[in-house]
Amino acid sequence: MRRFILALGVCMAFGAHAAQEPELIPFWDSSDDANEATIDHGAWQELLDAYLATHPSGVNRFDYAGLKAAAGGRAKLNAYLDSLQATDPRVYSRAEQKAYWINFYNALTVKVVTDAYPVESIRKIHEGWIPLTGPWGDVHAGVAGQELTLDNIEHGILRPIWRDERIHYAVNCASIGCPNLATRAYTAANMEDLLEQGAREYVNHPRGVDVVDEDFIVLSSIYDWWVLDFGDSEEGVIAHLVKYADDALAAQLEDFAGAIDYEYDWDLNQP
């Protein structure tokens, strides 16, 4: 038997980042793996160095207020996003594309939040009249003549093309409950290291997995919303968690047969 917390019910009722199946946008399903060229993400790294900080809580914090107040920082972010929008990723290798789309998603999210700041939660940012739906379905960019939403990038490109559940540890929704915004820009060269690091950090943090007692655990809602990507069952989720858990946590999870709840903290991941 599963008990769903009120906060999750309210969140899902308002459609805030509700689960979506991956649905490929065919326009983006092409690449040139013979192309050894790389895409420069140096500007994004400079912004991460300047405004993202680790925190004793284990949740990385982004200084949206500082970026909002810094004309130079905002100009650098806008120029970086302009450069990505002027780049057609289809002419690059699959590995280069993966880094391109993850960095694009995260930088675009930072811009959306910074433009709306001060705001308590990304869910409160939306161009329409429905409350708490967030900005994910709003058009925020365009590449190769195609309008793009954050949902397009995550569910129409990243998830269906790569079929890699660790993407959920890479794309950041500017919230405390979300896996950390990585302190390094993604590249084809560091991709595996960062994805593995992101998975291990999140699974072994209480916002990812909280073992209350031997009969009750609380998991992040990402394992409920995106269960399709984590084995499409609670058993599949547990197997995934065991893979990335440290020894003590893995021992608690391997034979777990109790109740599972899901929680998520939508407060902004600011200092």
Side-chain angles (χ1 to χ4, degrees), residues 2 8 34 36 50 63 69 76 80 82 85-86 121-122 133 174 179 186-187 192 200 213 229 233 241 259:
R2 185 187 304 171
L8 175 60
E36 298 181 356
D63 186 5
K76 179 174 291 186
Y80 173 64
D82 287 346
Q85 292 177 88
S121 170
I122 190 173
T133 54
Y186 282 81
T187 66
E192 277 301 306
R200 293 189 184 283
D213 56 44
D229 297 350
S233 67
L241 298 176

Side-chain angles (χ1 to χ4, degrees), residues 114-185:
T114 302
D115 287 350
Y117 195 85
V119 64
E120 296 176 357
S121 170
I122 190 173
R123 289 191 302 158
K124 295 187 176 182
I125 305 171
H126 180 52
E127 295 174 0
W129 61 271
I130 303 175
L132 299 181
T133 54
W136 298 283
D138 299 332
V139 174
H140 295 294
V143 176
Q146 304 296 304
E147 292 184 336
L148 283 171
T149 69
L150 290 167
D151 276 346
N152 289 154
I153 297 174
E154 183 174 7
H155 310 302
I157 302 172
L158 280 167
R159 290 175 67 208
I161 290 178
W162 282 278
R163 298 286 175 175
D164 184 344
E165 73 277 4
R166 298 172 302 170
I167 284 169
H168 295 295
Y169 301 117
V171 293
N172 184 269
C173 67
S175 303
I176 294 292
C178 188
N180 277 334
L181 177 59
T183 58
R184 289 187 287 163

Side-chain angles (χ1 to χ4, degrees), residues 20 47 116 125 260:
Q20 294 185 32
L47 288 161
I125 305 171
I260 300 175

Side-chain angles (χ1 to χ4, degrees), residues 27-147:
F27 181 86
W28 301 109
D29 191 20
S30 61
S31 62
D32 180 3
D33 285 323
N35 184 359
E36 298 181 356
T38 60
I39 299 171
D40 184 10
H41 300 290
W44 179 231
Q45 185 62 62
E46 291 175 7
L47 288 161
L48 293 172
D49 291 342
Y51 298 102
L52 182 66
T54 57
H55 190 271
S57 67
V59 181
N60 292 351
R61 308 301 177 109
F62 196 92
D63 186 5
Y64 302 100
L67 180 57
K68 181 90 171 187
R74 294 198 315 276
K76 179 174 291 186
L77 177 59
N78 290 334
Y80 173 64
L81 287 169
D82 287 346
S83 74
L84 295 184
Q85 292 177 88
T87 300
D88 188 342
R90 296 174 300 168
V91 305
Y92 289 87
S93 67
R94 279 292 196 223
E96 201 64 28
Q97 287 180 19
K98 193 175 186 180
Y100 167 92
W101 288 117
I102 291 173
N103 291 329
F104 198 166
Y105 186 100
N106 289 336
L108 196 57
T109 297
V110 164
K111 176 176 171 52
V112 168
V113 174
T114 302
D115 287 350
Y117 195 85
V119 64
E120 296 176 357
S121 170
I122 190 173
R123 289 191 302 158
K124 295 187 176 182
I125 305 171
H126 180 52
E127 295 174 0
W129 61 271
I130 303 175
L132 299 181
T133 54
W136 298 283
D138 299 332
V139 174
H140 295 294
V143 176
Q146 304 296 304
E147 292 184 336

Side-chain angles (χ1 to χ4, degrees), residues 204-217:
N204 291 288
H205 190 276
R207 74 192 191 284
V209 181
D210 184 10
V211 179
V212 179
D213 56 44
E214 63 182 11
D215 296 316
F216 181 45
I217 61 175

